[in-house]
Amino acid sequence: MTRSGAAGAPWWRGAVIYQIYVRSFADSDGDGVGDLAGIRSRLPYARELGVDAIWLNPFYPSPQADAGYDVTDHREVDPVLGSLDDLDALVRDAHASGLRVLIDLVPNHTSSEHAWFRAALAAAPGGPERARYLFREGRGPGGDRPPNDWGSNFGGRAWTRVTEPDGTPGQWYLHLFAPEQPDLDWTNGEVRAEFDSILRFWLDRGVDGFRIDVAHGLAKDPEMRDLAGNFAHSEPAAEGHPHWDRDEVHDVYRGWRRVSDAYPGERTFVAEVWVQDPERLALYLRPDELHTAFSFGLLLAPWDAAPMRTAIDTSIGALAEVGASPTWVLSNHDVVRHVTRYGGGELGRDRARAAALLMLALPGGAYVYQGEELGLPEVTELPDGVRRDPAFLRTGGADRGRDGCRVPMPWSGPRPPFGFGPSGESWLPQPEDWVELTVEQQAADPSSTLALYRDALALRRELPALGDGQQAWMEAGPDLLAFRREPGFVCVVNFGDEPAELARELLPDGARVVLASRPVAPGGRIPGATAVWYARD
Ligand code: NOJ
């Protein structure tokens, strides 16, 4: 495997991991939906990009009420996306080319089509089948009001009433996401044992780790208290929240750590934890819990020096307390792509390029979401009829949803689907003007965003200062963030719109520009919306 992070440190402390949204990466069979065989055929691309590993979004059998985060069988592959044989072949080829493979684990909920939930609906209230989920009696006469005031992340309430097998209106079940995603009860021993077994199933197959979906959501207030206006439904958790980030979740992760530690080869977890307080995030990364968790601070910060610096400092500081390394991320399949968040157009792309160099220079690991290396913007013009996201569908379009960041990759050629697959199909339409942004176009252009990512990732491997380790801020002036990493590396980002002077004495002796997100004249000023890496030869 390849170098990442300080010598002797576990690989994941400084790794760059490429997030592959399976449905939208590469389609091998022409049905317009990306699949595992498509990813396998494109592994050389990930390898050439220079990442250490790939993370695959869920590929399990699913009715797709939430793009695969509604799983019916955690030990299978959805036939639309391939087979277990395809997955094995993908892992084998990835390993042969020096890439590790992380997969998505969805423990907070199953699909409502999962055998367990079907059995729960067919069984009487109070039995063991229902005890795997969170069924409760309703409030009020006849139990026709939901058990509490919790809301779904996708809009509407978090409870759905079932019809009992005898045809009468019955109990309610909890779903913090769509009604097709009933929440599991993590106090139930059978649920815990099942997930230990699912982990082993995939670890035995050779996967290198798991991204844990909604890792802060598994434990719920046993009393099921109302939010009562004290807490928001979907905001990052606040302390004492009745269903986010409760202390009881940590016991689950201590158990999982014991499972993964029994395997050779530095298997790893990365947790999706949405919390306001980085010190709460750090609790998930205590030495006997998870290895890494996304530091969402960068992703949430606007394009401005002060909030970016605060996001970086709070994350680094809190995680250092538990000896963990940060895991940076600018975009993923749930948020508006950062080119667009930063203003869109040329300016948005310039800022996004600078943000990439900032992220890749920070201590710790980083995730790159497929297409960000091409500078893809959010697709805001998708017709309503093609949108699939429950966040869009369940709010009648008030929430535009996440389809705009999930549009298939443009690989090559003059028109959609730009080499995405062998037919003319793609499950979401790509904009015509992506002709400028295809991999083919950018690979041939040394000034492209793809070339910038490749250059940055190549330097990360070469320069011992990068990856895991420390950084120290330098005061470089308003709108500038500048930090030093040893030996002999400096990153400077100009968040302003005007060129800025960098005091020469801030640079290590003999340092020169090794990479810049926009052209910088030797010894010249740093243009607006630009990041520069300096290092000694
Ligand atoms: C977080 C995932 O990233 C998102 O796509 C999904 O909708 C929710 N968890 C529910 O599983």
Side-chain angles (χ1 to χ4, degrees), residues 66 69 109 154 177 211 213-214 272 333-334 402 406:
D66 182 19
Y69 283 96
H109 42 263
F154 294 145
F177 293 88
R211 176 263 188 188
D213 189 55
V214 202
E272 183 209 27
H333 64 292
D334 289 332
R402 301 162 295 177
R406 300 174 175 180

Side-chain angles (χ1 to χ4, degrees), residues 254-384:
R254 280 188 282 269
W256 290 8
R257 182 62 179 258
R258 287 193 292 275
V259 171
S260 77
D261 276 353
Y263 284 80
E266 297 184 333
R267 314 293 175 104
T268 193
F269 291 105
V270 58
E272 183 209 27
V273 176
W274 289 96
V275 285
Q276 278 169 5
D277 178 357
E279 307 207 335
R280 295 287 303 178
L281 182 71
L283 297 179
Y284 292 75
L285 303 179
R286 287 175 286 192
D288 60 346
E289 294 196 38
L290 303 171
H291 307 83
T292 58
F294 298 113
S295 290
F296 286 122
L298 270 196
L299 175 154
L300 294 170
W303 178 258
D304 194 3
M308 285 279 184
R309 180 167 170 167
T310 304
I312 294 166
D313 277 343
T314 49
S315 197
I316 290 178
L319 300 195
E321 295 289 313
V322 293
S325 63
T327 301
W328 307 106
V329 52
L330 289 167
S331 276
N332 64 30
H333 64 292
D334 289 332
V335 298
V336 172
R337 284 187 177 273
H338 56 280
V339 166
T340 304
R341 291 202 317 267
Y342 295 155
E346 271 314 301
L347 182 61
R349 192 157 299 134
D350 285 345
R351 291 172 170 174
R353 288 166 59 102
L357 291 199
L358 168 65
M359 172 174 84
L360 295 172
L362 289 173
Y367 278 68
V368 171
Y369 176 45
Q370 71 175 50
E372 79 172 64
E373 77 282 12
L374 303 177
L376 295 186
E378 183 82 359
V379 181
T380 52
E381 302 302 308
L382 286 173
D384 287 0

Side-chain angles (χ1 to χ4, degrees), residues 305-528:
M308 285 279 184
R309 180 167 170 167
T310 304
I312 294 166
D313 277 343
T314 49
S315 197
I316 290 178
L319 300 195
E321 295 289 313
V322 293
S325 63
T327 301
W328 307 106
V329 52
L330 289 167
S331 276
N332 64 30
H333 64 292
D334 289 332
V335 298
V336 172
R337 284 187 177 273
H338 56 280
V339 166
T340 304
R341 291 202 317 267
Y342 295 155
E346 271 314 301
L347 182 61
R349 192 157 299 134
D350 285 345
R351 291 172 170 174
R353 288 166 59 102
L357 291 199
L358 168 65
M359 172 174 84
L360 295 172
L362 289 173
Y367 278 68
V368 171
Y369 176 45
Q370 71 175 50
E372 79 172 64
E373 77 282 12
L374 303 177
L376 295 186
E378 183 82 359
V379 181
T380 52
E381 302 302 308
L382 286 173
D384 287 0
V386 303
R387 292 184 184 263
R388 306 274 181 86
D389 185 0
F392 173 84
L393 300 173
R394 284 177 54 79
T395 59
D399 181 337
R400 300 308 287 162
R402 301 162 295 177
D403 294 300
C405 65
R406 300 174 175 180
V407 171
M409 284 276 284
W411 291 95
S412 58
R415 66 187 65 86
F418 298 118
F420 171 58
S423 70
E425 304 290 316
S426 73
W427 70 282
L428 288 173
Q430 301 148 311
E432 302 273 342
D433 62 7
W434 279 14
V435 63
E436 310 280 334
L437 298 175
T438 62
V439 170
E440 182 182 48
Q441 286 289 327
Q442 298 201 36
D445 173 4
S447 69
S448 68
T449 302
L450 177 59
L452 181 74
Y453 270 77
R454 285 180 173 166
D455 291 347
L457 292 170
L459 279 168
R460 246 181 102 99
R461 283 161 193 275
E462 271 170 37
L463 296 174
L466 296 184
D468 189 22
Q470 316 283 324
Q471 55 81 259
W473 294 112
M474 302 183 304
E475 300 312 322
D479 285 339
L480 291 184
L481 282 190
F483 58 90
R484 188 169 170 141
R485 303 196 59 187
E486 297 304 339
F489 174 90
V490 166
C491 173
V492 183
V493 187
N494 183 356
F495 284 86
D497 295 328
E498 300 303 321
E501 200 80 58
L502 181 73
R504 198 59 224 170
E505 58 274 16
L506 292 178
L507 296 178
D509 286 342
R512 63 176 181 90
V513 174
V514 289
L515 192 60
S517 62
R518 293 176 72 195
V520 181
R525 300 198 297 165
I526 299 174

Side-chain angles (χ1 to χ4, degrees), residues 34-94:
D35 47 42
L36 297 179
I39 297 171
R40 187 176 167 213
S41 74
R42 296 285 189 184
L43 279 176
Y45 174 75
R47 181 76 194 126
E48 218 177 312
L49 185 58
V51 295
D52 302 291
I54 57 176
W55 151 36
L56 305 176
N57 281 107
F59 49 69
Y60 312 107
S62 164
Q64 305 292 336
D66 182 19
Y69 283 96
D70 47 324
V71 178
T72 55
D73 182 349
H74 296 86
R75 298 181 183 80
E76 254 302 345
V77 172
D78 193 303
V80 174
L81 306 177
S83 63
L84 276 177
D85 284 346
D86 291 333
L87 195 271
D88 289 342
L90 172 57
V91 172
R92 200 172 50 239
D93 283 9

Side-chain angles (χ1 to χ4, degrees), residues 93-328:
D93 283 9
H95 286 171
S97 67
L99 292 168
R100 306 198 197 227
V101 182
L102 270 57
I103 65 174
D104 217 309
L105 186 73
V106 190
N108 181 65
H109 42 263
T110 69
S111 162
S112 53
E113 298 295 313
H114 190 286
W116 273 7
F117 195 71
R118 284 167 172 262
L121 290 187
E129 294 87 353
R130 290 208 177 171
R132 298 163 177 150
Y133 293 91
L134 291 156
F135 281 84
R136 294 290 183 274
E137 299 299 331
R139 290 198 283 201
D144 55 3
R145 285 195 297 117
N148 67 24
D149 68 355
W150 297 359
S152 153
N153 257 34
F154 294 145
R157 62 187 170 212
W159 295 93
T160 292
R161 193 170 197 187
V162 303
T163 303
E164 298 300 352
D166 66 3
T168 56
Q171 290 190 304
W172 298 71
Y173 67 89
L174 178 72
H175 51 85
L176 292 180
F177 293 88
E180 297 86 354
Q181 294 168 294
D183 281 51
L184 289 163
D185 183 347
W186 274 87
T187 65
N188 181 294
E190 223 185 324
V191 169
R192 289 188 175 222
E194 173 68 354
F195 273 83
D196 283 359
S197 151
I198 292 166
L199 288 176
R200 291 197 181 95
F201 176 85
W202 292 108
L203 291 166
D204 287 338
R205 283 195 113 80
V207 307
D208 299 283
F210 303 89
R211 176 263 188 188
I212 306 169
D213 189 55
V214 202
H216 59 307
L218 272 46
K220 277 89 184 178
D221 175 8
E223 316 257 309
M224 295 265 173
R225 269 174 280 245
D226 282 334
L227 299 169
N230 297 323
F231 302 98
H233 297 300
S234 58
E235 293 304 305
E239 200 147 354
H241 197 287
H243 61 67
W244 294 138
D245 187 37
R246 297 179 62 79
D247 290 339
E248 302 92 302
V249 291
H250 296 286
D251 190 45
V252 174
Y253 301 129
R254 280 188 282 269
W256 290 8
R257 182 62 179 258
R258 287 193 292 275
V259 171
S260 77
D261 276 353
Y263 284 80
E266 297 184 333
R267 314 293 175 104
T268 193
F269 291 105
V270 58
E272 183 209 27
V273 176
W274 289 96
V275 285
Q276 278 169 5
D277 178 357
E279 307 207 335
R280 295 287 303 178
L281 182 71
L283 297 179
Y284 292 75
L285 303 179
R286 287 175 286 192
D288 60 346
E289 294 196 38
L290 303 171
H291 307 83
T292 58
F294 298 113
S295 290
F296 286 122
L298 270 196
L299 175 154
L300 294 170
W303 178 258
D304 194 3
M308 285 279 184
R309 180 167 170 167
T310 304
I312 294 166
D313 277 343
T314 49
S315 197
I316 290 178
L319 300 195
E321 295 289 313
V322 293
S325 63
T327 301
W328 307 106

